[in-house]
Amino acid sequence: MDLSMNKRWAPVFLALASLFLVASIACGGDSDDGDSGASSGGGVAATAAPAATAAPAAAAKGAASGGTSAAAGAASKAADAADADAAAPAATVAQAAAEATKAPDSATGGPEGSIVRAFRTLESVYGIGYVGPYRTSATNQIGGIEESLFNYQNGNPMTPFLLDKWDIDAAGTRARMTLKKGLKFNSPVGYEDKDFGELDAAELVEWFNRSNATTNPESTYGDGGDFAAIFLEATAIDQYTIEIGLVAPVYYCLPVSQFGCLSAARGPHKVTTADTEGVEWARANHIGTGPYVQGACTPGDRCTVHAVSDHWRQTGNVAEITGIQVPEATTQIAMLKNGAIDMTELDYKLLPDVVADGFTFLETMPGGFVGQSILFPGNLWEHSHARNNEELKPWDAAPLAKDYPWIGNPWGHQGGTCTDGDGEGRDRCGNAPYTDSDNPAGMDDMEQSRLVRLSLSIAIDRGSINDVLLNGIGTPIYSEYMGPEYPGWDASRETGCWDWIGGKIDCSGTMQSVPWEIADGDLAVAGALLDDAGYPLVDGKRQGFEPLTLQAYSAEAGPVGLEVADTVMSDWARLGIEISGLVEDYGGVISPRMRQRVQYLPVLKNGDVHSNVYPIDWPLPVVDTSSSRPGWGVGFESQAGAKWLFEILGEQDASVRSEKHLTWVDYSMYWLQYAGVFQVPKGIVVNERIKSWDGYQQHYSNVSGNPEFIELN
């Protein structure tokens, strides 16, 4: 989308020059330059029917999908699945015989020309993700090397892409996938004389099992925890067919779609080069089946990908794409103006002036927003692993070493011990090392901390953040899970009241229903909540309130997130809280602490929802529960979420899944596991050389991962 055609920008542009024509766009839908690609949804407008994104298993017999992405403007054909499904039980999910994707009608005759794209940070190449750090690879930042097993087409995020067909057995115990034949692994530049073979069942099994944190506990693959929550071990059935066990029944979605089904978005790549070429060579050379191959890459400097001249699906229109590292926005803008670069992701507050200078903000996946929220890690409310019942002992974890006001302890402490079976949800129980003595009469630590988190959320002046820091282009959100432009959004809805293990309760006392659209920047209401929680304001300071540190980093929405963090801290300081900020490297410091569940400071970024674009009948992320252990998680967990996750995964009726999804949203917004802050449209700034870029819809990317669809003027 050209920003000059978006009415969300009208107040800004009228104030700047009154030169722009304004029109509305349809709504629907990570990758930060250095964040993981791990890390769901259909391009569903807020009023769309909830069942529009996936066929329930009960109606799966004869179901098929095929053709190309509507976003790519390609034709689609329904595949005839009658023969394939003739013997299948009615409860079986089948996606059969999808026709190979065709190039868009607008494709050029072949690769030509070159472009340069600037990144704030250009990572190293991580050719085998299961031994890399929790970061994306330079080649994934540019895109085009990998392809996915499934992608989003015609409203279905599980359209077979590298697959001919797939199915899940009636009991939901295993998935079977059959690859297309002849999917050649493309040789990197400099190794053209070496044949790396094809993607067959043996290679796919190795990718699954080496990446999965269950089958390979040493895996650091960004999607390893998401795989672990869904998949057991994969095995080859024949040359092109694999079977993979399922942790629990999953009838309608698997974490192997480019769109990001169940929180995972990357595609298979060749991992056995670690055996044949050595681990170091394999780490430095990313090999996939995509329309581009890796060229020369220097970490922190530049990396080039080159179009394959005869790709099976879509030959790239641009022959060579170079990514370069340009950390400073002012330098990026100068390079745009002098023609040194052709495209870059800019800080959102800079966009109006850049667009006024004649550049275009291009939504490569129109309708998608990327959001940021305050995560509240340390709220560890699961005593046992959701998949294997392993004891987790959260009361011994670092977040419960002290009585932090924003962290709820449902277990015991030195002044009120807890033993196994001591109340519902406490089948296993233990005691934190402190004595909890600051709760108001009749209030437990869970309610006290909930009031604190609700107060902190209400104190955030989202309107000012959008107007001042985001130039009015975004919208507020009130949770990672819900806000304007999301499917199912209802500004008049309230959460109701819940106990901490997911039971609906009567509202009474301080336990009152929370509106989905909460009061915005209301310091009086926020202050009263802190009073109720037992932290009175005396001489401008909250008595007994632990000093609070907010962590932030330049995340999915760019460097403006750091300024947003400053504004949030200012709002919180006006409540009388002693507040400070801490900026640390996410991939190297914060993410490992999240993975180990030792993070206790609130963090401004996002979890695995990432954006407004997902089907309303999806479960919320597996990484928000213990299901992803030992893989990455957001640092909080709840028994309610762990229970609902598997209920939704195993539900064959899309309308029931939708209601369960909204129930989970209500629970999370009541307990304030996230405090939503803002969302902004996804896109990239381009110069006049770029004619168009209509890519497949992706939940976890701000910019399309399909550079083969870039067209030049």
Side-chain angles (χ1 to χ4, degrees), residues 497-648:
C497 296
W498 301 83
D499 64 28
W500 66 279
I501 56 173
K504 202 75 180 285
I505 60 174
D506 292 332
C507 299
S508 63
T510 61
M511 295 179 291
Q512 296 298 319
S513 182
V514 177
W516 274 18
E517 187 170 14
I518 62 174
D520 195 33
D522 193 327
L523 295 181
V525 171
L529 288 168
L530 290 182
D531 292 340
D532 290 343
Y535 300 108
L537 185 67
V538 178
D539 295 331
K541 184 175 181 180
R542 291 288 165 183
Q543 301 303 295
F545 200 101
E546 177 79 18
L548 176 59
T549 299
L550 176 64
Q551 293 204 276
Y553 80 114
S554 183
E556 291 74 9
V560 72
L562 300 177
E563 296 185 57
V564 171
D566 288 338
T567 301
V568 170
M569 288 189 291
S570 176
D571 292 336
W572 290 354
R574 289 191 288 164
L575 290 173
I577 297 171
E578 184 179 342
I579 185 76
S580 62
L582 178 61
V583 178
E584 294 183 298
D585 175 65
Y586 180 78
V589 179
I590 301 176
S591 176
R593 288 203 296 256
M594 293 282 205
R595 176 178 175 143
Q596 296 163 28
R597 276 72 173 182
V598 298
Q599 175 79 17
Y600 60 88
L601 298 176
V603 181
L604 176 64
K605 64 173 305 287
N606 61 10
D608 249 18
V609 170
H610 189 90
S611 81
N612 64 304
V613 181
Y614 55 78
I616 197 172
D617 63 330
W618 281 23
L620 293 163
V622 297
V623 298
D624 291 4
T625 73
S626 65
S627 297
S628 65
R629 287 184 183 230
W632 179 76
V634 295
F636 65 72
E637 299 165 349
S638 68
Q639 292 182 45
K643 171 177 176 286
W644 291 327
L645 169 67
F646 291 106
E647 286 183 0
I648 296 173

Side-chain angles (χ1 to χ4, degrees), residues 107-388:
T108 63
E112 59 183 8
S114 63
I115 59 174
V116 179
R117 176 178 171 184
F119 296 87
R120 293 190 302 275
T121 301
L122 189 70
E123 299 290 351
S124 299
V125 173
Y126 305 123
I128 46 174
Y130 71 94
V131 296
Y134 186 80
R135 297 180 185 277
T136 193
S137 169
T139 43
N140 283 111
Q141 289 177 277
I142 302 170
I145 304 291
E146 296 177 1
E147 297 174 291
S148 292
L149 299 176
F150 303 84
N151 78 351
Y152 185 96
Q153 296 178 24
N154 304 320
N156 179 11
M158 290 297 291
T159 302
F161 199 54
L162 291 182
L163 299 178
D164 265 334
K165 59 185 178 181
W166 70 292
D167 67 82
I168 296 172
D169 69 325
T173 61
R174 65 103 186 112
R176 180 181 288 135
M177 308 177 201
T178 300
L179 288 159
K180 297 182 188 297
K181 298 178 182 179
L183 295 170
K184 175 180 171 55
F185 278 121
N186 298 315
S187 305
V189 171
Y191 298 92
E192 291 86 353
D193 59 345
K194 188 170 183 61
D195 185 358
F196 289 95
E198 68 173 327
L199 175 60
D200 57 13
E203 288 286 352
L204 189 59
V205 161
E206 290 298 324
W207 175 69
F208 268 121
N209 291 341
R210 297 189 193 197
S211 302
N212 189 338
T214 292
T215 52
N216 177 18
E218 301 302 314
S219 172
T220 55
Y221 190 57
D223 291 345
D226 306 297
F227 283 4
I230 304 299
F231 293 130
L232 300 172
E233 185 175 8
T235 57
I237 301 304
D238 58 35
Q239 186 176 358
Y240 295 104
T241 303
I242 73 162
E243 282 190 356
I244 186 165
L246 301 176
V247 171
V250 182
Y251 288 111
Y252 68 103
C253 208
L254 295 171
V256 282
S257 170
Q258 182 187 25
F259 189 67
C261 275
L262 304 183
S263 305
R266 287 189 61 178
H269 52 275
K270 191 172 181 70
V271 297
T272 57
T273 50
D275 309 324
T276 60
E277 313 297 324
V279 171
E280 291 309 311
W281 189 95
R283 286 166 62 101
N285 292 274
H286 187 184
I287 298 175
T289 64
Y292 283 84
V293 297
Q294 178 185 328
C297 293
T298 303
D301 182 19
R302 64 186 56 236
C303 184
T304 300
V305 299
H306 302 263
V308 175
S309 60
D310 55 350
H311 189 257
W312 72 274
R313 170 180 59 84
Q314 164 71 51
T315 298
N317 298 315
V318 180
E320 179 182 279
I321 305 172
T322 299
I324 64 173
Q325 179 165 302
V326 184
E328 298 297 328
T330 53
T331 307
Q332 293 174 358
I333 294 171
M335 294 177 75
L336 274 172
K337 291 180 176 180
N338 67 24
I341 63 173
D342 300 292
M343 58 176 65
T344 188
E345 292 176 79
L346 283 175
D347 194 9
Y348 282 85
K349 69 177 183 179
L350 302 175
L351 293 182
D353 287 343
V354 174
V355 170
D357 283 338
F359 298 95
T360 299
F361 180 77
L362 186 67
E363 286 191 44
T364 61
M365 302 171 291
F369 286 72
V370 58
Q372 285 196 237
S373 301
I374 306 291
L375 285 68
F376 287 105
N379 285 285
L380 301 173
W381 304 337
E382 291 184 61
H383 56 67
S384 303
H385 197 293
R387 290 186 288 110
N388 58 27

Side-chain angles (χ1 to χ4, degrees), residues 406-492:
W406 56 90
I407 294 178
N409 177 10
W411 320 110
H413 55 88
Q414 299 311 304
T417 58
C418 176
T419 59
D420 291 358
D422 185 15
E424 194 173 3
R426 301 179 178 90
D427 307 273
R428 292 171 174 166
C429 211
N431 303 293
Y434 59 82
T435 298
D436 190 1
S437 59
D438 65 353
N439 298 338
M443 183 180 294
D444 63 14
D445 193 66
M446 290 293 284
E447 175 63 5
Q448 182 187 45
S449 66
R450 186 188 73 85
L451 294 176
V452 168
R453 295 190 299 275
L454 181 57
S455 169
L456 295 176
S457 183
I458 288 175
I460 298 171
D461 192 342
R462 295 169 176 84
S464 290
I465 287 171
N466 186 46
D467 292 342
V468 177
L469 298 180
L470 302 174
N471 290 299
I473 68 171
T475 74
I477 57 174
Y478 304 95
S479 168
E480 171 94 351
Y481 294 160
M482 187 54 68
E485 311 288 345
Y486 280 62
W489 167 249
D490 180 356
S492 65

